[in-house]
Amino acid sequence: MGCTRAWWLMALDDRLRAGVGVACLTRYHDLIESEELKAHGIYYFVPGMLRHFDTEAVVACIAPRPMLFLTGDSDPGSPLTGIRTIEDKVTPLYTLAGQRDRFQSVIYPHTGHVYLSAMWQRMTAWMDLYVKNAR
């Protein structure tokens, strides 16, 4: 649950300077529509959340702090349509704040629910840029 924890913690605690979420950016409505609820356990769902908002509202709370998402296009737990909706809703907030480069969502083609070495390299470069070298 590292990715999910990353975007929830970034949204709820502004002491965190930067975040990276790997292999689990889910918009709940799209997860339901794709009939992939089984891709996650009970731990993943917030009771009553969808009566008020979906993941894009949570991720929007992170702006304008740096947040990187790395997701495979074939991950059943992260439907691509939902990722695109989150990108479409959150990118303008970063742009409005003059921080467009601080929100990135990278989709890896032909990739499922995995953590590739290329993802690791991108993650460490992101953290070097926004945490290690930002002191």
Side-chain angles (χ1 to χ4, degrees):
M1 240 182 88
C3 181
T4 308
R5 185 175 293 147
W7 49 268
W8 273 105
L9 286 173
M10 285 292 295
L12 296 171
D13 190 343
D14 62 3
R15 293 175 297 173
L16 302 172
R17 296 193 325 206
V20 178
V22 178
C24 205
L25 180 56
T26 304
R27 186 169 185 270
Y28 294 99
H29 278 101
D30 294 85
L31 188 65
I32 293 165
E33 191 173 291
S34 67
E35 299 181 358
E36 286 294 344
L37 290 173
K38 65 186 177 293
H40 300 281
I42 191 71
Y43 61 85
Y44 199 70
F45 304 100
V46 178
M49 177 175 151
L50 292 179
R51 285 194 296 261
H52 307 286
F53 53 86
D54 207 326
T55 305
E56 61 269 19
V58 178
V59 175
C61 292
I62 300 168
R65 289 170 296 136
M67 189 69 202
L68 170 66
F69 290 99
L70 308 170
T71 316
D73 69 347
S74 303
D75 184 345
S78 298
L80 194 54
T81 56
I83 294 169
R84 295 297 185 212
T85 298
I86 294 166
E87 292 169 345
D88 290 347
K89 300 289 184 181
V90 175
T91 298
L93 299 173
Y94 278 83
T95 302
L96 185 62
Q99 301 294 332
R100 173 60 192 95
D101 59 326
R102 290 181 170 214
F103 176 72
Q104 291 184 23
S105 175
V106 180
I107 308 296
Y108 290 81
H110 314 293
T111 303
H113 188 77
V114 297
Y115 195 176
L116 304 172
S117 62
M119 293 172 169
W120 171 263
Q121 292 168 4
R122 194 170 214 143
M123 184 266 313
T124 56
W126 184 266
M127 289 306 214
D128 282 350
L129 177 64
Y130 288 111
V131 178
K132 181 180 177 184
N133 297 328
R135 295 176 199 203

